Amino acid sequence: MRHDPTDDELLRSYLLGTLPEEKADPLERRLLAEDELFELCEAIEADLLAAADRGELAPEERERVLRRLASSPQGRERHALARSLNAVAAAPAPVVAFPVRPRPSVRPAFRWAALAAGLLLAAGLSWRLMEPPHGGESSPVIAHERPAPAGPVTSDLPQETPAPPPPPPVVAQEKRPSTEKPKPAKVVWQLALMTLRGSEPPRRVSLPSGTGEVELQIGVEGMEDLESFHLVVRSPRGKTLLDKKGLKPQTLDGARTLVVELPAGQLSAGRYEIEAQGTPQDGGEPEDLSPLSIQVVRGSKG
Amino acid sequence: MRNGDGDTPRGERGQGLTTESFDALLTQLAPDRERAGELYETIRRKLVRLFEWRGCAAPEDLADETINRVARRLAEGVELRSNDPYGYFCGVAHLVYKEVMRRAAREHRALESGDWPPPSSLTDDEPSDQRLDCLRRCLQELPADQRDLVLRYHQGENNIRNRQALADQLRIPMNALRIRIHRVRRKLETCVHECLSR
């Protein structure tokens, strides 16, 4: 069976409870009769639950999803699985997908008024993405291929032996020398200053047990008129963990990126705030950037 | 088969499935008994999900109630239309649902009202360590390509773009990717459930 391209939207509306009854009835009849459509509906349901957990839905949509799709015991189980998958998938080694902001067309003071974080951590893979221009709800994204970090990136998946942590579940493990001496594990969290989307829920990042150091890579693409940055990282209790002025962006695979390191020992589970200021090239007044929040999740020992 | 309680409409509660009506149901579903049994299971599973998708808290009970009513009508001589055997189930399911809604309204439990308290899963609690450990173990049991695929599918921000890139890479349409992922997730769901039950 081939899906009508409109099935996606139809099913999404149905699951959100916004489809009029006169359309829901025939759709349910089709769902009973067409196995593949039914399976697609289940798949979209799972996607909605995962999106709700990642804060990708509008508040009212999120509420609808949770009320309609997570109200039964089975629904709660599915929701729990979606949350767990999001958490585990966020943990392993990085793939870079730095958002590139369009050149601002508004005054700088407003340009920084709202700033959202983009985070993408991935499982030892790199790929290149280019999104075509679209309706303007978010900025286009370019992901840059990036070599693996110098230190081994810890996997959030359990390992069968206490050997040095191999990369997450992906490729070419046999190419790593088996006699390689374990290095202190480093986790890279990749964040990006993105579009003017207002306040967002904190991005979830995982800190596997045994991590020695966390490297924050914060993309600042599209901010070429800012020469240096002032970053402050605050713990859930408001303690200043890092206060660094005059940070110059590095160019990592063509993307302007701020790189700072934090000892993992300073980080416990909870919500951290990253405050940022940018200083223009002309030496003007530093511009306040909206704070960036991350939710640190401690992983269990691998 | 359960008679159903909880959300089950009052009108026919307690009128379970007799051997006669169950036989009538199977006979009309398919001439082959085994095939009829499979169809029965499929229809029941789908009805459960339909009631879930409508936000019902006891979807299994309502699915059973629907099937019971259909089976009784068939035992009374009603015939399923061969070109649309599911239509009858759907019609009865809608009646059952509407009865539930009317009852809920009478009891001032507006299922769809905006001020209904969210379910407990609305809380922002992190998944338990035990659940995460189980999931990690279950992921390890998957073939590497499936594990990689499902993790990449759930990774990070810009999810739509990531998924489109995945679909492009696999040279399959987005919906085919969704279904492929969903099948892996179903395996994980079963595995995690078993792991947590140990």
Side-chain angles (χ1 to χ4, degrees):
Chain A
M1 192 208 78
R2 290 191 180 278
H3 299 295
D4 185 311
T6 59
D7 281 348
D8 293 24
E9 275 311 304
L10 204 62
L11 291 171
R12 195 173 187 279
S13 301
Y14 169 69
L15 291 168
L16 288 172
T18 56
L19 196 66
E21 197 65 24
E22 65 269 19
K23 289 186 179 174
D25 285 357
L27 178 63
E28 287 185 336
R29 192 170 293 206
R30 282 185 63 201
L31 285 166
L32 275 182
E34 298 174 23
D35 288 345
E36 203 173 332
L37 185 72
F38 184 85
E39 207 170 10
L40 179 62
C41 194
E42 288 189 312
I44 291 174
E45 174 195 31
D47 285 351
L48 282 171
L49 287 168
D53 177 53
R54 280 194 301 267
E56 292 172 355
L57 301 179
E60 64 272 19
E61 281 188 338
R62 179 175 187 271
E63 199 182 321
R64 277 177 173 277
V65 164
L66 296 178
R67 192 191 306 144
R68 290 177 68 88
L69 306 180
S71 63
S72 68
Q74 300 91 329
R76 284 193 284 277
E77 276 297 307
R78 287 185 198 99
H79 185 221
L81 178 66
R83 295 185 69 120
S84 303
L85 269 171
N86 281 343
V88 171
V95 161
V96 181
F98 280 118
V100 177
R101 302 186 335 155
R103 291 297 296 172
S105 58
V106 291
R107 289 186 294 140
F110 292 109
R111 185 182 49 167
W112 301 114
L115 160 161
L119 165 68
L120 203 111
L121 297 172
L125 296 162
S126 300
W127 73 87
R128 190 177 291 269
L129 296 174
M130 175 75 81
E131 188 198 48
H134 55 91
E137 68 278 11
S138 63
S139 55
V141 166
I142 295 176
H144 303 271
E145 285 189 8
R146 176 153 311 171
V153 175
T154 58
S155 164
D156 203 31
L157 295 171
Q159 308 302 326
E160 291 182 358
T161 71
V170 203
V171 287
Q173 290 192 25
E174 68 277 8
K175 290 185 181 175
R176 285 179 177 254
S178 59
T179 56
E180 190 181 358
K181 195 177 176 180
K183 298 175 187 172
K186 178 192 273 188
V187 166
V188 178
W189 292 342
Q190 294 175 324
L191 310 164
L193 306 184
M194 239 166 91
T195 55
L196 303 177
R197 284 194 288 169
S199 61
E200 288 200 338
R203 299 296 107 190
R204 189 173 299 170
V205 290
S206 178
L207 186 61
S209 300
T211 303
E213 199 168 50
V214 172
E215 183 175 293
L216 287 176
Q217 298 181 353
I218 303 176
V220 289
E221 280 293 279
M223 305 176 191
E224 286 75 13
D225 51 336
L226 295 177
E227 186 176 34
S228 65
F229 293 81
H230 177 192
L231 280 186
V232 177
V233 179
R234 297 191 200 284
S235 74
R237 294 188 173 186
K239 184 182 169 190
T240 302
L241 302 180
L242 179 140
D243 186 340
K244 208 156 188 174
K245 291 179 181 170
L247 264 177
K248 304 268 182 163
Q250 302 176 19
T251 303
L252 300 179
D253 288 321
R256 290 178 88 228
T257 310
L258 300 176
V259 180
V260 292
E261 291 179 346
L262 285 170
Q266 289 189 1
L267 302 170
S268 54
R271 179 175 171 154
Y272 292 72
E273 301 293 333
I274 302 172
E275 296 167 7
Q277 274 188 330
T279 303
Q281 286 177 345
D282 60 10
E285 284 295 303
E287 295 177 15
D288 283 334
L289 312 182
S290 296
L292 173 65
S293 295
I294 54 173
Q295 181 78 29
V296 174
V297 182
R298 299 286 309 208
S300 59
K301 208 169 183 78
Chain B
M1 173 174 296
R2 292 154 40 182
N3 284 329
D5 48 13
D7 275 344
T8 310
R10 292 180 196 280
E12 306 196 30
R13 184 190 283 187
Q15 298 178 37
L17 198 60
T18 62
T19 309
E20 261 182 4
S21 55
F22 189 56
D23 282 344
L25 174 65
L26 293 183
T27 302
Q28 290 220 31
L29 285 178
D32 176 67
R33 191 79 170 177
E34 195 170 331
R35 174 69 186 141
E38 288 170 5
L39 279 173
Y40 162 78
E41 288 297 338
T42 301
I43 290 169
R44 183 181 181 278
R45 191 176 84 81
K46 286 186 172 183
L47 285 172
V48 170
R49 301 309 323 279
L50 291 185
F51 282 116
E52 269 195 284
W53 290 333
R54 287 196 172 240
C56 299
E60 297 210 351
D61 294 343
L62 298 180
D64 286 339
E65 177 61 23
T66 301
I67 290 175
N68 290 356
R69 289 191 193 185
V70 171
R72 280 199 299 275
R73 298 293 176 268
L74 299 184
E76 289 164 9
V78 170
E79 287 190 9
L80 294 179
R81 281 187 298 167
S82 58
N83 62 341
D84 182 18
Y86 303 104
Y88 196 75
F89 284 93
C90 236
V92 173
H94 287 158
L95 284 177
V96 169
Y97 175 72
K98 282 173 184 167
E99 286 173 29
V100 169
M101 292 298 289
R102 278 200 295 274
R103 184 158 65 96
R106 275 202 303 273
E107 295 174 1
H108 306 287
R109 288 173 44 213
L111 292 174
E112 293 283 56
S113 73
D115 55 358
W116 209 43
S120 56
S121 62
L122 261 178
T123 59
D124 283 330
D125 294 340
E126 299 298 335
S128 70
D129 286 346
Q130 190 191 2
R131 183 178 289 279
L132 287 173
D133 285 344
C134 281
L135 176 60
R136 291 185 188 107
R137 283 196 197 104
C138 292
L139 281 165
Q140 288 290 65
E141 290 173 15
L142 288 176
D145 59 334
Q146 291 184 14
R147 182 171 61 227
D148 173 30
L149 191 64
V150 78
L151 286 175
R152 286 179 63 180
Y153 189 84
H154 285 87
Q155 267 159 8
E157 184 92 345
N158 302 319
N159 224 265
I160 294 170
R161 299 174 190 101
N162 295 343
R163 289 171 183 180
Q164 189 56 60
L166 267 180
D168 292 345
Q169 193 177 323
L170 295 169
R171 297 180 183 186
I172 57 175
M174 184 63 121
N175 281 344
L177 174 66
R178 283 192 174 115
I179 288 175
R180 193 177 288 190
I181 293 293
H182 177 60
R183 289 173 183 166
V184 179
R185 263 191 309 234
R186 269 211 306 253
K187 285 186 199 171
L188 287 173
E189 193 177 342
T190 306
C191 176
V192 168
H193 182 74
E194 285 171 1
C195 174
L196 288 171
S197 308
R198 277 178 212 145

